[in-house]
Amino acid sequence: MQSHCLTTSRSNPQFYTFSQVFDRQAASLDPLWKEELQQSAWLSFWKREGHEYLEEKWHRRHPEYKETIESATDEERAAWQELWEKHVQDQNAHFWHIFSCVLENYERDLHNGFQDVGQILNDIDDQFSYLEIYQTDASTASTEYSEVDQENLHNNDDQESLGEEQQLKLLGLPTSFGAKSTNDRRKPKQQLPSESESESDSNHLSMSNEKDENQLDAKSRAIKKTKRKTNSKIPHFMRDDNLLLKYWFKRFSLFSRFDQGILLDRESWFSVTPEKIAKQTARRLASDVIVDAFCGCGGNAIQFANTCGRVIAIDIDLNKLTMAKQNAAIYGVAHKIDFVHADFLQFARTTRVRPDAIFLSPPWGGPGYQKQQTFDIEENLLPLGASPLMEHARRLTENIGFFLPRSSNIKQVIALTHAGEQCEVEHNYLDTRLVAITAYYGKSLIKKQRQKVDK
Ligand code: MGP
Ligand code: SAH
């Protein structure tokens, strides 16, 4: 039987985003827009990333192409063309499959967000399940993807990957954005109709018809490791820190140029916005002058510098600003950012600056934020609850992007909207995993409201 081994690469995770516009009064989800949403989200993914993945996989599969095509006869060119078209078709189907999986996750995540604070998530388990795509062992793949998978395994960003991965698994920690920790509370119950009926050992739905995990592990150990030479060394303060270790494995998702000297302190390792998400926010908040109110080590500020005329990057911690400046220099954008050492609350009370947009990504209380099933954004954000923080930001501008935990109470997020106005809530996925949400406020930022159809 043919299996569908869909692998993901940690250094270049797929980024999917879904967003919906809500009225202030909205207390529940309007399910009318799923089809439209599906189309637009798919098209924007394919437009944004499709070409890159197509090319990447093509050259991995046909390393001889570049040289051969130069001197190819017309007949050979036609054969290559045919192969390319087949490749595009196959990859399109491959990614559509993954995308459909993420869309199901989105539906579930959105419904979870509408649960009241403290409500048990199991309430909706019967309706939705959380879908997962595994990082599959290439050696087991008897499919057309097998060689690609093999490459993925060899090309992944971790030099001692297999050993390190085993280590992480032993610690019960996730090994990539696409994988889930073994103690995850959400248990999948639903499976895509076309897929294998068997659930994996860890009780997560897999889109591949995987065999026994132990067998996979044994086989993966047998694969010869090819070590990519990189400059990155795990910093001393992270070595014995089980909590931080998992972020180390995602370092290239956080910064694609990590190896060029990116600096992060402990808090920033778990707070920095992954690059692809930061890019998306930067596209959405593109403007003349933007204030990044909680700059940290610069994950967002760097991307804003690419889409905005000027970035005012504020942080209360001078050490972080110093690192942010070096990180921005690595991306060649330091000259577009004003680094301001200040308490944002005080800055907002006293400044005369009137930016076109503000981005808020305050501390969420550390990785422990995940302990709450539904994150109360009024109680648990630092240094202030969401409402008073928004009040501060609104002194400067109405156009605000707010980066929030994936488990945030969506009703509270919507309640931050001004009366008579709308907000947009965007869910950001790396591979199949919801990483965080970004809410947008202010008329000029909200995507055009779709015309409602009478029921
Ligand atoms: P996470 O939930 O700690 O990681 O953070 P992950 O890998 O999704 O957790 P897992 O254990 O479920 O696998 C996810 C993302 O949220 C991080 O990459 C940061 O971008 C962002 N983030 C996390 N924290 C704790 C903060 C925070 O305190 N402030 C801000 N602004 N962002 C945060
Ligand atoms: N978006 C950033 C990460 C932000 S983490 C990135 O992608 O790199 C939150 C940051 O808020 C931390 O760096 C912390 O030092 C800063 N911070 C906390 N309280 C603050 C305050 N009152 N004013 C400004 N910055 C503050």
Side-chain angles (χ1 to χ4, degrees):
M1 184 166 57
Q2 191 180 41
S3 70
H4 303 270
C5 295
L6 306 174
T7 59
T8 56
S9 161
R10 272 166 291 164
S11 50
N12 189 16
Q14 288 142 45
F15 171 60
Y16 300 97
T17 181
F18 302 92
S19 80
Q20 298 209 45
V21 174
F22 295 99
D23 292 328
R24 190 167 191 260
Q25 294 76 12
S28 63
L29 179 63
D30 182 346
L32 273 180
W33 313 114
K34 190 174 169 191
E35 227 170 85
E36 190 189 327
L37 183 86
Q38 181 178 21
Q39 257 196 353
S40 65
W42 166 254
L43 284 178
S44 69
F45 163 73
W46 196 243
K47 209 168 118 191
R48 201 178 49 236
E49 305 202 2
H51 191 72
E52 186 189 342
Y53 286 115
L54 281 177
E55 289 272 326
E56 197 180 295
K57 291 197 172 196
W58 172 260
H59 289 295
R60 254 196 255 141
R61 203 175 275 185
H62 304 288
E64 75 284 15
Y65 173 77
K66 262 188 194 155
E67 268 186 36
T68 324
I69 199 69
E70 299 284 316
S71 53
T73 62
D74 285 352
E75 213 174 308
E76 284 164 343
R77 276 174 192 272
W80 274 117
Q81 180 62 25
E82 206 177 307
L83 204 59
W84 168 258
E85 278 160 22
K86 167 94 172 53
H87 171 72
V88 173
Q89 227 173 28
D90 287 350
Q91 292 305 317
N92 199 289
H94 170 78
F95 285 112
W96 172 259
H97 200 170
I98 299 174
F99 171 82
S100 308
C101 193
V102 185
L103 182 65
E104 296 239 356
N105 288 345
Y106 169 62
E107 214 179 336
R108 180 194 162 103
D109 290 326
L110 196 56
H111 278 267
N112 283 349
F114 275 99
Q115 304 301 298
D116 288 324
V117 173
Q119 195 167 337
I120 307 297
L121 290 177
N122 287 347
D123 287 3
I124 59 152
D125 265 5
D126 291 339
Q127 293 169 45
F128 300 101
S129 60
Y130 201 88
L131 305 183
E132 185 77 16
I133 293 169
Y134 274 83
Q135 187 111 13
T136 315
D137 183 341
S139 67
T140 62
S142 59
T143 74
E144 58 179 316
Y145 295 111
S146 61
E147 65 196 285
V148 177
D149 296 344
Q150 186 91 16
E151 280 296 322
N152 270 347
L153 191 71
H154 285 215
N155 281 348
N156 86 40
D157 51 295
D158 299 304
Q159 300 80 56
E160 284 89 27
S161 71
L162 296 177
E164 287 178 349
E165 262 187 65
Q166 294 299 340
Q167 215 179 326
L168 277 185
K169 279 184 187 165
L170 286 173
L171 292 167
L173 294 172
T175 54
S176 75
F177 274 113
K180 284 164 73 70
S181 65
T182 48
N183 57 6
D184 197 301
R185 57 188 152 74
R186 291 171 290 199
K187 288 183 187 162
K189 287 184 182 169
Q190 186 182 318
Q191 198 157 6
L192 292 180
S194 60
E195 299 304 322
S196 148
E197 290 301 314
S198 66
E199 277 192 356
S200 73
D201 287 353
S202 55
N203 207 20
H204 290 138
L205 181 66
S206 167
M207 289 178 69
S208 59
N209 57 354
E210 289 171 272
K211 295 171 192 154
D212 181 17
E213 279 225 353
N214 294 333
Q215 219 179 326
L216 293 183
D217 284 350
K219 286 189 179 174
S220 69
R221 275 195 299 274
I223 293 180
K224 195 173 161 242
K225 286 186 237 169
T226 52
K227 294 187 182 182
R228 194 177 83 178
K229 280 200 175 139
T230 66
N231 298 320
S232 56
K233 277 204 184 122
I234 187 160
H236 275 288
F237 71 91
M238 295 179 83
R239 283 193 186 160
D240 300 322
D241 192 331
N242 290 348
L243 181 80
L244 285 194
L245 216 50
K246 71 171 178 182
Y247 298 100
W248 172 254
F249 286 95
K250 300 170 187 174
R251 61 196 180 280
F252 291 101
S253 315
L254 303 179
F255 290 97
S256 60
R257 300 190 186 178
F258 184 87
D259 263 4
Q260 294 178 31
I262 292 293
L263 295 176
L264 296 170
D265 66 354
R266 190 176 189 281
E267 182 183 2
S268 301
W269 269 103
F270 55 73
S271 306
V272 65
T273 307
E275 187 167 305
K276 284 194 173 181
I277 299 178
K279 275 189 176 158
Q280 164 70 6
T281 315
R283 281 189 288 266
R284 291 301 313 274
L285 295 180
S287 50
D288 194 8
V289 179
I290 188 164
V291 167
D292 182 358
F294 302 88
C295 156
C297 285
N300 291 104
I302 289 169
Q303 299 307 327
F304 288 139
N306 288 320
T307 63
C308 299
R310 193 87 213 145
V311 185
I312 300 172
I314 300 170
D315 205 284
I316 203 164
D317 180 346
L318 184 58
N319 192 32
K320 288 191 178 62
L321 285 179
T322 309
M323 292 189 265
K325 200 168 180 181
Q326 149 134 3
N327 296 341
I330 289 172
Y331 281 80
V333 294
H335 62 287
K336 290 191 74 183
I337 307 175
D338 295 321
F339 295 94
V340 179
H341 180 212
D343 171 352
F344 170 67
L345 305 180
Q346 207 178 346
F347 177 88
R349 280 187 218 113
T350 54
T351 186
R352 288 191 185 167
V353 171
R354 291 293 172 263
D356 305 289
I358 292 190
F359 178 64
L360 304 172
S361 62
W364 306 343
Y369 82 90
Q370 294 193 51
K371 289 188 189 131
Q372 294 173 56
Q373 289 190 326
T374 307
F375 188 91
D376 186 330
I377 63 170
E378 296 298 345
E379 285 294 321
N380 298 306
L381 291 179
L382 294 167
L384 277 181
S387 295
L389 184 57
M390 284 289 280
E391 260 177 52
H392 278 78
R394 280 186 170 129
R395 286 167 189 246
L396 278 56
T397 175
E398 289 295 307
N399 302 323
I400 299 167
F402 205 157
F403 189 66
L404 288 162
R406 56 179 167 245
S407 50
S408 297
N409 180 339
I410 302 287
K411 287 182 196 169
Q412 289 180 328
V413 175
I414 295 169
L416 298 175
T417 315
H418 265 163
E421 291 191 6
Q422 295 174 320
C423 71
E424 190 177 335
V425 181
E426 178 188 84
H427 284 57
N428 299 304
Y429 291 79
L430 287 180
D431 294 332
T432 53
R433 202 75 208 287
L434 177 59
V435 176
I437 65 176
T438 314
Y440 299 97
Y441 304 87
K443 281 187 200 122
S444 57
L445 290 184
I446 311 297
K447 277 191 189 155
K448 209 168 147 254
Q449 170 70 70
R450 292 160 278 237
Q451 289 299 307
K452 287 203 172 187
V453 180
D454 289 334
K455 286 182 202 174

